[in-house]
Amino acid sequence: QVQLIESGGGLVQAGNSLRLSCAASGRTFSSYDMGWFRQAPGKEREFVSAITRSGGVTRYVDSVKGRFTISRDNAKNTVYLQMNSLKPEDTAVYYCAAGVKANIASRREYDYDYWGQGTQVTVSS
C-alpha cells in the first residue's frame, strides 16, 4: 500500500507561482511513475503532468507546457509540480498519483494505482 500526501496549494494571483509537493510512503518510491491530475469545479478530472520512475521522461498537457515543471527526488520520496505564470483557468483541486504498472509517464488515470486526497489551487484574476 502507498500513501500519498499533497501539499503546497493555496490562493495566488494570476501570474504568480506555486510549488506542489507529493510525499509518498509505503513501497519503494523509485518503483513508481508519478502523475499530477486536476479537477476544476463542474469538470472531469484531467491529466496535467507525469514523470517516469527514473525521471527520464516527462509529459505535460498542452495547456501547461512551458509554465509547469514536474520533478522528483527519489531520495526524499517526493514528486513536485512547479507552477509558474498561473492563470485563473488553473484553478482546481490537484491530485498526485502513483503507478506501478508501466514506465511510460502515462496520461491515463487507469494506469495509476494510488491517489492522494488532493490540494486546492485557486488563482485569482
Side-chain angles (χ1 to χ4, degrees), residues 79-94:
V79 63
Y80 305 98
L81 186 67
Q82 178 66 44
M83 306 186 296
N84 298 331
S85 302
L86 282 161
K87 303 176 180 181
E89 51 263 44
D90 295 318
T91 294
V93 177
Y94 283 71

Side-chain angles (χ1 to χ4, degrees), residues 51-73:
I51 187 167
T52 51
R53 49 210 62 185
S54 68
V57 175
T58 58
R59 300 190 196 283
Y60 299 92
V61 67
D62 286 347
S63 60
V64 308
K65 284 181 180 177
R67 300 188 298 121
F68 290 13
T69 303
I70 191 170
S71 62
R72 65 190 297 161
D73 186 337

Side-chain angles (χ1 to χ4, degrees), residues 83-111:
M83 306 186 296
N84 298 331
S85 302
L86 282 161
K87 303 176 180 181
E89 51 263 44
D90 295 318
T91 294
V93 177
Y94 283 71
Y95 299 90
C96 74
V100 299
K101 299 184 182 70
N103 190 22
I104 58 172
S106 175
R107 302 173 180 268
R108 301 172 300 195
E109 289 191 34
Y110 59 76
D111 283 327

